[in-house]
Amino acid sequence: MLKEERQEAICNELKKTGVVSIDALTKLLNTSRSTIRRDIEELETAKSLKRIRGGAVAVPSSNPSYEPSFSGRSDLHMDEKKRIAAAAKQLVHPQETLALASGTTVCEFAKTLRDIDPLYVATSDLMCAVEMSTFPNIELIVLGGSVRKKHYSLTGYFAEYTIQRIHADWAFLGVDAIDFNIGLMNFSPEDITVNKLIIKASKQTVVLCDHTKFNTIAFANICPFTDVDILITGVETNPEYIHRLEEMGIQVIIV
């Protein structure tokens, strides 16, 4: 079993019971105690649970202001993120202009763009910029601004000033939460204006979203569903959520 699958199974057990023991997880997942301990340590770093002696307990998921760091999120659900990134790549053609917002799934998408020649890309994410900085096919613009430590997004006056002078064919956006009564959300209010301007500057907006982002709440609204043209998500996503998105006129790509 892959690490991502184990960690998801641990979180699912916590949702059911509220507390799990290392011994029980060892039997359930058919792996060693040391592997389970490492998984629990990583999940605690990502604030997905709290370690206790001999196991772990669930943490409240109702805090809309808590934002895990980039490193705490980057390895979670990686197989799904890679599938989403590969599907997003299929939308892009040579000579198009892309605006990439911040996020771990968007960063996976950035890694796929090496062989579409030429491309013009602007990004508000330092990790995306680093990934693309050596790609010979990409004319890269980094949007400047203030760096959010541990998250690597660029925000503030200089980022906003630059975005308002860009016109893109595609916006590719990550989100922290989706609620059908509210819309698309991020934990950080600092990123919201940049994300809104990226949407406004682009002809079409694509949301890259793994299944865990649905039916959750974050601190600040990015946009309503009417601003979204395409949403790409994994087969793990509840079919009911996909049906509701399609009823709103959003094209949903399931991978």
Side-chain angles (χ1 to χ4, degrees), residues 8-238:
E8 186 167 3
I10 292 169
C11 291
N12 286 337
E13 281 300 299
L14 280 172
K15 288 178 182 177
K16 295 175 187 175
T17 64
V19 60
V20 291
S21 70
I22 291 175
D23 287 338
L25 290 171
T26 299
K27 294 176 183 177
L28 176 67
L29 302 177
N30 191 28
T31 190
S32 67
R33 290 175 61 87
S34 60
T35 297
I36 295 298
R37 285 196 189 95
R38 285 195 297 271
D39 286 337
I40 287 175
E41 289 172 359
E42 289 184 19
L43 288 166
E44 184 178 55
T45 299
K47 305 297 183 182
S48 297
L49 53 74
K50 180 176 176 59
R51 281 186 297 170
I52 59 172
R53 185 177 180 84
V57 296
V59 295
S61 59
S62 58
N63 181 1
S65 63
Y66 172 72
E67 181 180 14
S69 68
F70 185 97
S71 60
R73 293 176 286 130
S74 59
D75 290 335
L76 296 176
H77 316 293
M78 182 53 69
D79 178 69
E80 184 180 3
K81 290 177 181 178
K82 287 183 180 294
R83 283 183 271 128
I84 292 168
K89 178 187 177 183
Q90 300 305 310
L91 300 173
V92 180
H93 299 91
Q95 299 188 11
E96 290 186 324
T97 302
L98 283 53
L100 274 55
S102 62
T104 56
T105 309
V106 177
C107 192
E108 286 304 311
F109 166 63
K111 296 175 185 178
T112 72
L113 299 175
R114 180 186 294 272
D115 58 353
I116 305 175
D117 190 12
L119 282 180
Y120 308 91
V121 182
T123 184
S124 61
D125 188 284
L126 283 181
M127 298 303 287
C128 288
V130 168
E131 291 292 344
M132 294 182 290
S133 62
T134 60
F135 292 2
N137 60 309
I138 289 180
E139 291 290 335
L140 180 63
I141 296 173
V142 182
L143 293 174
S146 303
V147 179
R148 293 188 61 230
K149 291 180 174 61
K150 297 185 180 181
H151 302 284
Y152 309 112
S153 59
L154 296 160
T155 65
Y157 170 79
F158 294 106
E160 294 165 17
Y161 179 89
T162 307
I163 295 168
Q164 291 178 72
R165 283 145 184 84
I166 287 174
H167 302 282
D169 296 299
W170 298 96
F172 288 91
L173 193 74
V175 298
D176 292 325
I178 294 178
D179 180 271
F180 284 98
N181 295 316
I182 299 172
L184 285 67
M185 291 163 279
N186 264 12
F187 287 112
S188 169
E190 299 162 271
D191 284 325
I192 295 301
T193 301
V194 171
N195 288 343
K196 286 180 178 292
L197 289 171
I198 285 176
I199 292 169
K200 185 177 180 180
S202 305
K203 294 177 183 176
Q204 294 194 80
T205 296
V206 183
V207 172
L208 309 181
C209 175
D210 72 66
H211 71 285
T212 64
K213 306 299 170 54
F214 287 91
N215 200 30
T216 59
I217 300 292
F219 184 68
N221 286 28
I222 303 171
C223 66
F225 291 103
T226 51
D227 284 349
V228 179
D229 298 291
I230 300 171
L231 184 142
I232 307 177
T233 191
V235 293
E236 298 88 342
T237 300
N238 188 325

